[in-house]
Amino acid sequence: MKNFILSIFAALALFSCKSRTAVQPNTTVEKPIVNSNKAFFDKILQKDQFESLKISSKVNAETGQFIPTLDATFYIENNQKVWVNLQALFITMARGIATPSGIKGYEKLNKTYIDSDFGYINKLLKINFIDYNSLQNLLLGKTFIPVNENDYELITSEKGFFLNSIKNQIFEVNGKKSEYKISLNYNPELDLKKIYLEDLISKNTLEINYENFENIGSQKLPKNVKIIIKGQKTDQIFIENTKFEFLKMETPFSIPANYTKTIIK
């Protein structure tokens, strides 16, 4: 049951790792495409301006049990909600919605549902700082963690830009502190290619890779997203975004009667 839910809501939180040591970048210095560190940080932290976006996708998950390829529709109303519908053989298998106040979702196979704050997704991803805004940015291939220029070393190479934390990044949520070592990799056009986080206490890691960015209006969006969650075991989620549309759509959602609430521990 947990593995099936993982494929659904890690996909919501939306996508290689050889060890827990971050890959060391090529440090050959080339002329950057931005003329100052401030311009670089302003660009990677730039806010999205779209109103609504529909993404048609295919989702595959490797969690230790068989999960079929799922056809997914992600619908995002900027800063308001992320709605997802997952189908197999044209039959809705699961549906979920995230808003700034939390997440709700259900899956039909085992007739279970969740109604939670973002702690649910954080536990799935083995981190503790995801909120609505970071979830939306994660799905869109944007920088989804707080990045302060004074906390990172910026390295420029012919392959792009590399940010490596020069001190432990501390996040405190509900009185619980976590410390991370973080690295981010951007291509020469400043698209986020990879983010790697290691929890220095638990040694859990999260790696997300973005590939094949496509220009859609004023947006650049990734066609391929890969999430690797590594704790006692490794789970992987692959999202192939096949179509992007800026449009409004209906997002029906209600939890069916007689479903059982699931809590991840």
Side-chain angles (χ1 to χ4, degrees):
M1 172 59 229
K2 175 185 170 183
N3 287 335
F4 188 84
I5 290 291
L6 175 66
S7 70
I8 298 168
F9 294 101
L12 251 181
L14 334 142
F15 290 53
S16 292
C17 177
K18 295 182 179 178
S19 71
R20 290 194 174 100
T21 301
V23 176
Q24 293 302 310
N26 183 327
T27 57
T28 303
V29 175
E30 298 287 336
K31 184 178 179 180
I33 64 169
V34 289
N35 57 17
S36 69
N37 283 10
K38 182 180 184 304
F40 171 85
F41 284 95
D42 286 347
K43 179 65 176 177
I44 67 168
L45 298 174
Q46 187 174 0
K47 302 294 186 182
D48 289 308
Q49 300 300 317
F50 71 91
E51 292 185 6
S52 54
L53 171 65
K54 176 185 177 183
I55 307 174
S56 301
S57 310
K58 292 187 179 297
V59 178
N60 285 280
E62 295 179 0
T63 65
Q65 74 176 44
F66 173 73
I67 299 173
T69 297
L70 298 170
D71 294 312
T73 299
F74 294 94
Y75 175 73
I76 301 172
E77 287 189 1
N78 196 11
N79 299 320
Q80 296 183 52
K81 67 179 174 182
V82 174
W83 178 90
V84 61
N85 188 72
L86 297 176
Q87 293 185 322
L89 300 175
F90 304 102
I91 299 172
T92 294
M93 302 296 294
R95 185 170 288 175
I97 190 166
T99 65
S101 61
I103 60 170
K104 297 180 180 181
Y106 65 87
E107 57 86 23
K108 290 185 175 180
L109 184 63
N110 296 285
K111 293 187 176 181
T112 65
Y113 76 95
I114 61 170
D115 185 351
S116 172
D117 59 20
F118 284 89
Y120 188 97
I121 290 180
N122 280 293
K123 288 177 182 177
L124 287 174
L125 295 177
K126 301 189 185 304
I127 51 182
N128 75 329
F129 55 82
I130 292 290
D131 59 13
Y132 176 83
N133 289 328
S134 54
L135 170 60
Q136 178 178 306
N137 285 338
L138 190 156
L139 282 169
L140 296 175
K142 307 279 288 186
T143 304
F144 62 87
I145 62 172
V147 175
N148 186 309
E149 179 179 349
N150 296 325
D151 293 341
Y152 287 82
E153 177 187 24
L154 174 60
I155 298 172
T156 304
S157 84
E158 70 276 9
K159 294 183 179 180
F161 299 83
F162 299 84
L163 280 181
N164 297 312
S165 56
I166 55 178
K167 61 181 180 181
N168 297 347
Q169 297 300 289
I170 300 175
F171 299 99
E172 183 172 354
V173 180
N174 297 326
K176 180 181 178 181
K177 283 186 178 181
S178 295
E179 296 188 33
Y180 299 91
K181 180 179 180 181
I182 302 175
S183 62
L184 304 98
N185 176 203
Y186 299 83
N187 68 16
E189 289 73 42
L190 297 184
D191 304 318
L192 179 61
K193 291 179 60 180
K194 176 180 175 179
I195 181 168
Y196 180 90
L197 302 95
E198 179 184 0
D199 186 319
L200 296 175
I201 298 174
S202 69
K203 300 303 181 182
N204 295 331
T205 64
L206 173 66
E207 179 180 337
I208 305 180
N209 295 274
Y210 299 95
E211 295 181 350
N212 301 320
F213 279 80
E214 183 174 320
N215 287 296
I216 309 293
S218 60
Q219 291 282 136
K220 289 192 76 175
L221 298 165
K223 297 188 71 174
N224 299 95
V225 186
K226 179 180 181 180
I227 297 178
I228 304 170
I229 308 159
K230 190 171 184 180
Q232 293 182 342
K233 67 183 188 70
T234 299
D235 294 308
Q236 299 187 74
I237 299 97
F238 307 89
I239 299 179
E240 178 187 2
N241 295 322
T242 57
K243 189 175 183 180
F244 302 101
E245 300 172 274
F246 291 106
L247 52 76
K248 289 273 190 181
M249 64 176 286
E250 296 296 320
T251 55
F253 182 85
S254 61
I255 295 172
N258 302 318
Y259 274 42
T260 301
K261 187 173 183 178
T262 294
I263 299 174
I264 186 171
K265 296 181 180 180

